[in-house]
């Protein structure tokens, strides 16, 4: 059970990291190193801090993932990562500041991902693989 707790924490953190970095990078214009000045950096301080927060979220997610790998078999743990694909899509569609449209094919893909994770994680599949 502890492995699933750490897995959920890892998935939520990596989802949050993706959303933070997307929002932050959307606020910052394409810059070159030559154009970086203190005034420009102060103008985009909040988006840069949000991007750094996203990177920090990735680091925390990796730390949680180490605990997942200690507590779950890889065949049970790895499918959990794909849940972040579904969560990022749902958040990007539902949260107004991302303004991404819902699409039938993408929504179907998310449902297939969720079904696949459920199928891989189901007890019937685990019993069948142990027997055979």
């Amino acid at each position: 059970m502890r492995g699933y707790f750490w897995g959920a924490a890892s998935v939520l953190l990596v989802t949050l990291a993706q959303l933070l970095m997307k929002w932050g990078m959307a606020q910052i214009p394409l810059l070159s190193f030559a154009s970086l000045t203190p005034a420009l950096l102060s103008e985009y301080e909040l988006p840069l801090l949000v991007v750094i927060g996203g990177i920090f979220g990735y680091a925390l997610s990796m730390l949680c993932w180490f605990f997942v790998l200690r507590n779950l078999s890889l065949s049970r743990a790895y499918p959990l990562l794909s849940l972040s694909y579904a969560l990022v899509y749902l958040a990007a569609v539902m949260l107004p500041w991302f303004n991404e449209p819902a699409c039938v094919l993408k929504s179907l893909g998310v449902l297939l991902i969720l079904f696949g994770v459920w199928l891989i994680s189901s007890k019937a599949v685990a019993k069948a693989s142990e027997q055979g």
Side-chain angles (χ1 to χ4, degrees), residues 8-52:
S10 179
V11 166
L12 291 175
L13 282 166
V14 79
T15 299
L16 181 63
Q18 277 292 332
L19 295 170
L20 288 173
M21 288 190 299
K22 170 62 178 170
W23 182 87
M25 291 307 296
Q27 308 306 310
I28 301 169
L30 189 59
L31 301 171
S32 67
F33 283 112
S35 66
L36 294 178
T37 63
L40 189 64
L41 289 176
S42 68
E43 182 180 347
Y44 296 106
E45 183 176 358
L46 178 62
L48 287 170
L49 288 174
V50 170
V51 170
I52 291 168

Side-chain angles (χ1 to χ4, degrees), residues 2 41 59 61-62 64 69 71 88 95 107 114 120 125:
R2 192 178 322 173
L41 289 176
S61 172
M62 287 300 297
C64 291
L69 294 176
N71 292 288
V88 167
L95 296 173
S107 298
L114 295 175
I120 290 170
V125 170

Side-chain angles (χ1 to χ4, degrees), residues 2-130:
R2 192 178 322 173
Y4 286 107
F5 168 79
W6 289 112
S10 179
V11 166
L12 291 175
L13 282 166
V14 79
T15 299
L16 181 63
Q18 277 292 332
L19 295 170
L20 288 173
M21 288 190 299
K22 170 62 178 170
W23 182 87
M25 291 307 296
Q27 308 306 310
I28 301 169
L30 189 59
L31 301 171
S32 67
F33 283 112
S35 66
L36 294 178
T37 63
L40 189 64
L41 289 176
S42 68
E43 182 180 347
Y44 296 106
E45 183 176 358
L46 178 62
L48 287 170
L49 288 174
V50 170
V51 170
I52 291 168
I55 293 168
F56 185 70
Y58 263 121
L60 285 177
S61 172
M62 287 300 297
L63 182 64
C64 291
W65 189 247
F66 295 148
F67 290 110
V68 172
L69 294 176
R70 283 185 68 104
N71 292 288
L72 289 178
S73 66
L74 193 57
S75 63
R76 287 214 176 252
Y78 201 66
L80 295 176
L81 288 178
S82 61
L83 293 175
S84 68
Y85 301 138
L87 291 174
V88 167
Y89 172 71
L90 291 172
V93 167
M94 295 175 80
L95 296 173
W97 47 88
F98 292 108
N99 198 29
E100 293 197 19
C103 169
V104 173
L105 287 177
K106 288 179 186 177
S107 298
L108 181 60
V110 165
L111 289 175
L112 288 173
I113 288 170
L114 295 175
F115 178 70
V117 172
W118 174 79
L119 188 62
I120 290 170
S121 301
S122 71
K123 293 181 193 262
V125 170
K127 286 180 184 177
S129 66
E130 288 172 3

